[in-house]
Structure formats: structure tokens, C-alpha cells
């Protein structure tokens, strides 16, 4: 029997995406072409691979049993076939797409681009806003690297915790609370603006306050940290933001920062990427550059 490696790649895509349409987009082919490929896989394995349950496609027991092994073989094959020559950064022409929180983009964007272009002057950096909902952009190849605070759960998404930050309370220097120690009660009694991509008027800080029998008045929400900090600079609203990621904006707007008067967990900075990129030397270099730039912030002192 002559094995077509493309069938193995297609089977891996089908099992990861869970649909013919998703696998087709992943493989950059049409849905009818992927349907024909699924038919060839069925003929080869003697298994249906997927069965329809209502509007969904459910993998068969055989498909579930071989999924991890198929994925491991594909990754190993990619590593074996990857170009082993040294990466020539001076000739690298590549567009790297990063998706991240606006505070991270503001903090590291310019530094990251300068660092990358010093070694690889032909690279281009695209920074995308953090999506308001979970997306499959990493799996579909639309994004090279995501930076956020959430650990991915999909088995095909690799991740690394690159550091952490902590929340502080930002307020203008003339605010009545600026010159004294901020208590939980005084914090709760003030008015607030919160950062929410979805326009929510509540965040985890409210849960911490509620556990102490306190509540706060959220007067506004803003979609980005930069916008919320502008609110704080021109009003008496308080805003909780990541200290190190927002340090430059705090300074530019001449805002004071005070420690949070309630205990909130540190914010991890998590890099996530699809495992298909692991044999890619250029992608590995990108991850190294991001880690190096973030280290300038996250190792600036103890949290």
C-alpha cells in the first residue's frame, strides 16, 4: 500500500477542526475537495471517521483513538522535513501577526519591532486587538502568537508563561484619594471606570469586594486600557490597570498609581501558538524576541 502523506495531514486537520469546512480552511482547499479527501481516508481506514449527529459531526471511536497519534506523527514529520539550515535573519521576509491586550501592545510594540528589525530588517509586524470572544485564529493560521492572561485548553495549542503583572489603582494627582493610603472602603466608595472589550460593567475586582461585603459604583467601561486611563486623567474616576504594562501611559498622562487595597491575583502573561509552528525556526525566533522584550518589564522587580 502506498501512503499519501497528504491524507495524514488532512486527517489531522479534520480531527483538530471537527468539521470538513474548518479542515478545508486550514489546508487552504475547498470544502468539496476536503470532502473527497475524507472519502479517500474512509476507504483507506475502513472507518467513517465522522458520523452526523444533528447538525454536528461526531468523531468515531476509531478517530478518537488515533487522534493523538496522528497529530504526533504530523508534528514529527514536519520537524524532519523542516529546513535544517541556519536561519538567515538578514534575508528573512515574513509578516508576523500577534494578537494581544492593548496594554501589552502599547508597552512592547515599538520595542519589539525595533528589536526584530535590527536583526531582520525585512520583517513586518502586525498587532491585532485581543478578540472579545475565544477564536480559532491560532488554529486557522490567522495569528502567529497570542499574548494574554489565559492558559489555552486545546491540545494543539502550545503555551508558555512569560511573566506576570499586578493591578494598581490609577487616578489623577488632584484626586482626593491621591495623597493618602487607599483603604478598601474608600476604594469602594469612589466611582470607577473599568476596562472591558465587551462593555461589561463588572469584573473580578467586584467579586473580591463582594466577599468583603463591599460594592462599588462603576460609572463607565472603556474598551482599552488607554481609553480608561484617559477617563481617569480627566475625571475623578478610578481605574485598575496592569502596573508594568501601563507604566508608560501612566507617566504620559501624569497619573498616580496606588496599590490595590484588596487582594487580587497577579496577572500572568501567557504566550500561545499552534504546535504546527514548533519546527519553524523563524517562529521560534519570534517567540524569543517577545520573551526578551517582556523580560524588560516583568523582571523589573518583585511583585
Amino acid at each position: 500500500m502506498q501512503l499519501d502523506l497528504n491524507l495524514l495531514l488532512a486527517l489531522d486537520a479534520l480531527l483538530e477542526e471537527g468539521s470538513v469546512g474548518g479542515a478545508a480552511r486550514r489546508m487552504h482547499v475547498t470544502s468539496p475537495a476536503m470532502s473527497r479527501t475524507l472519502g479517500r481516508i474512509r476507504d483507506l481506514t475502513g472507518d467513517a471517521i465522522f458520523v452526523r449527529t444533528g447538525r454536528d459531526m461526531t468523531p468515531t471511536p476509531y478517530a478518537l483513538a488515533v487522534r493523538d497519534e496522528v497529530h504526533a506523527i504530523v508534528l514529527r514529520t514536519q520537524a524532519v522535513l523542516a529546513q535544517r539550515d541556519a536561519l538567515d535573519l538578514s534575508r528573512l521576509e515574513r509578516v508576523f501577526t500577534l494578537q494581544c491586550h492593548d496594554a501589552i501592545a502599547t508597552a512592547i510594540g515599538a520595542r519589539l519591532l525595533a528589536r526584530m528589525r535590527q536583526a531582520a530588517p525585512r520583517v513586518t509586524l502586525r498587532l491585532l486587538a485581543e478578540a472579545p470572544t475565544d477564536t480559532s485564529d491560532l488554529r486557522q493560521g490567522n495569528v502567529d502568537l497570542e499574548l494574554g492572561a489565559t492558559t489555552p485548553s486545546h491540545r494543539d495549542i502550545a503555551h508558555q508563561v512569560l511573566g506576570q503583572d499586578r493591578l494598581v489603582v490609577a487616578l489623577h494627582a488632584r484626586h482626593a484619594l491621591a495623597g493618602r493610603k487607599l483603604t478598601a472602603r474608600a476604594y469602594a466608595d469612589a466611582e470607577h471606570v473599568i476596562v472591558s472589550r465587551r462593555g461589561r460593567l463588572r469584573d473580578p475586582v467586584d467579586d473580591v469586594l463582594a466577599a468583603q461585603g463591599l460594592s462599588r459604583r462603576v460609572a463607565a467601561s472603556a474598551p482599552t486600557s488607554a481609553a480608561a486611563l484617559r477617563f481617569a486623567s480627566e475625571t475623578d474616576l478610578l481605574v485598575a490597570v496592569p502596573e508594568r504594562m501601563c507604566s508608560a501611559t501612566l507617566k504620559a498622562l501624569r497619573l498616580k498609581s496606588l496599590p490595590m487595597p484588596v487582594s487580587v491575583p497577579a496577572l500572568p502573561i501567557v504566550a500561545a501558538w499552534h504546535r504546527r509552528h514548533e519546527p519553524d525556526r523563524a517562529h521560534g525566533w519570534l517567540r524569543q524576541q517577545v520573551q526578551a522584550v517582556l523580560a524588560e518589564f516583568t523582571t523589573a522587580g518583585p511583585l
Side-chain angles (χ1 to χ4, degrees):
M1 179 179 65
Q2 186 175 5
L3 178 63
D4 184 349
L5 181 59
N6 287 323
L7 294 182
L8 193 64
L9 296 173
L11 177 58
D12 183 52
L14 284 162
L15 294 176
E16 283 194 4
E17 299 296 336
S19 70
V20 169
R25 289 189 294 273
R26 167 92 162 266
M27 299 288 291
H28 304 291
V29 299
T30 64
S31 291
M34 183 55 68
S35 293
R36 291 192 294 271
T37 300
L38 176 58
R40 294 178 60 194
I41 294 171
R42 285 168 167 167
D43 291 341
L44 180 65
T45 62
D47 187 85
I49 305 300
F50 287 105
V51 293
R52 185 168 293 282
T53 52
R55 294 185 176 182
D56 298 322
M57 298 290 284
T58 301
T60 64
Y62 169 81
L64 292 174
V66 302
R67 181 174 60 185
D68 289 344
E69 184 176 0
V70 168
H71 190 61
I73 292 171
V74 168
L75 289 177
R76 180 58 184 157
T77 302
Q78 290 173 337
V80 170
L81 298 179
Q83 185 176 359
R84 307 314 299 172
D85 294 337
L87 179 64
D88 186 352
L89 293 173
S90 66
R91 301 180 62 182
L92 178 64
E93 295 188 22
R94 184 89 170 253
V95 177
F96 290 112
T97 302
L98 273 65
Q99 191 166 51
C100 57
H101 190 278
D102 77 285
I104 297 177
T106 301
I108 74 167
R111 294 191 191 191
L112 177 61
L113 179 60
R115 183 183 179 92
M116 293 171 64
R117 285 175 58 82
Q118 184 176 12
R122 300 182 184 182
V123 301
T124 301
L125 179 64
R126 296 174 69 232
L127 293 176
L128 302 184
E130 192 175 24
T133 58
D134 292 336
T135 70
S136 57
D137 285 335
L138 284 176
R139 303 176 71 190
Q140 294 177 0
N142 299 324
V143 170
D144 293 300
L145 194 67
E146 282 186 358
L147 298 174
T150 304
T151 300
S153 58
H154 293 290
R155 66 186 181 89
D156 54 325
I157 304 299
H159 74 278
Q160 181 180 1
V161 179
L162 299 183
Q164 59 182 14
D165 206 343
R166 65 180 173 190
L167 287 178
V168 293
V169 179
L171 67 172
H172 66 72
R174 303 174 308 282
H175 198 289
L177 297 175
R180 56 191 178 95
K181 182 179 179 179
L182 186 61
T183 66
R185 170 63 67 182
Y187 178 75
D189 287 345
E191 292 195 316
H192 301 259
V193 54
I194 65 173
V195 182
S196 172
R197 303 186 308 276
R198 305 180 190 181
R200 291 175 174 171
L201 297 175
R202 183 181 178 87
D203 66 21
V205 172
D206 294 284
D207 298 329
V208 176
L209 289 171
Q212 299 187 25
L214 299 172
S215 63
R216 61 177 177 170
R217 156 77 174 146
V218 174
S221 71
T224 66
S225 298
L229 287 169
R230 175 63 73 176
F231 270 75
S233 72
E234 299 181 4
T235 70
D236 281 336
L237 299 179
L238 306 184
V239 59
V241 294
E243 180 182 26
R244 290 171 180 164
M245 293 299 102
C246 291
S247 59
T249 307
L250 287 167
K251 183 177 180 180
L253 294 175
R254 299 180 179 179
L255 291 168
K256 289 180 63 70
S257 65
L258 300 175
M260 288 290 295
V262 292
S263 179
V264 293
L267 302 172
I269 300 176
V270 181
W273 63 94
H274 197 278
R275 292 190 184 277
R276 78 170 74 91
H277 291 303
E278 294 191 339
D280 183 346
R281 288 174 177 256
H283 195 280
W285 172 77
L286 166 68
R287 300 196 300 270
Q288 291 172 359
Q289 305 314 299
V290 172
Q291 184 174 15
V293 173
L294 277 170
E296 299 175 19
F297 293 89
T298 57
T299 60
L303 282 173

